[in-house]
Amino acid sequence: MSQIVAGIYEIQQKIGSGGGGIVYLGRHLRLEKQVVLKADKRTLNTKPEILRREVDMLKELSHQYIPQVYDFVQENGITYTVMDYIEGRSFDKILEAGYRLPQP
């Protein structure tokens, strides 16, 4: 499943989905860097300005435990948020396995 978004990002495969959207593993073509593209499910009923404002707030966040948001693109009626790819298991899989996280 190779698809180019905004002429910059190549979607390589679907890696998950949830209430907010579908998450794809991708690659920034010029930087040769793995990224995540989240296709927002609200696109059809939410004004683009609202999604843009949300992404603008997220991209200002910087913390070691959250992915850095890089970009916001719209193509073919779909809004994508582009962020860091963090390798590992998804949080729901960790919880399903019965692992308990320490409070701190």
Side-chain angles (χ1 to χ4, degrees):
M1 161 201 230
S2 183
Q3 174 189 344
I4 305 300
V5 174
I8 302 171
Y9 304 104
E10 176 186 23
I11 292 178
Q12 296 175 322
Q13 67 181 1
K14 179 180 171 180
I15 57 175
S17 64
I22 302 170
V23 180
Y24 299 99
L25 175 62
R27 183 171 63 97
H28 189 292
L29 295 172
R30 288 193 302 266
L31 299 177
E32 293 291 325
K33 176 181 172 81
Q34 281 192 313
V35 294
V36 165
L37 291 95
K38 177 185 169 196
D40 200 306
K41 287 184 178 178
R42 299 172 297 169
T43 300
L44 299 177
N45 16 2
T46 304
K47 292 182 181 179
E49 308 84 59
I50 293 171
L51 296 173
R52 177 76 221 189
R53 222 179 7 227
E54 186 177 305
V55 170
D56 283 343
M57 286 188 294
L58 291 172
K59 74 180 183 186
E60 297 302 321
L61 297 176
S62 179
H63 191 279
Q64 64 182 1
Y65 294 120
I66 58 173
Q68 180 67 51
V69 173
Y70 295 118
D71 205 354
F72 165 87
V73 294
Q74 294 177 301
E75 186 158 284
N76 299 325
I78 300 172
T79 301
Y80 296 93
T81 303
V82 183
M83 60 190 84
D84 273 333
Y85 170 69
I86 301 171
E87 194 168 342
R89 293 186 297 164
S90 68
F91 189 60
D92 63 332
K93 301 295 182 221
I94 292 170
L95 293 177
E96 284 174 9
Y99 183 76
R100 297 282 178 211
L101 301 172
Q103 200 53 272

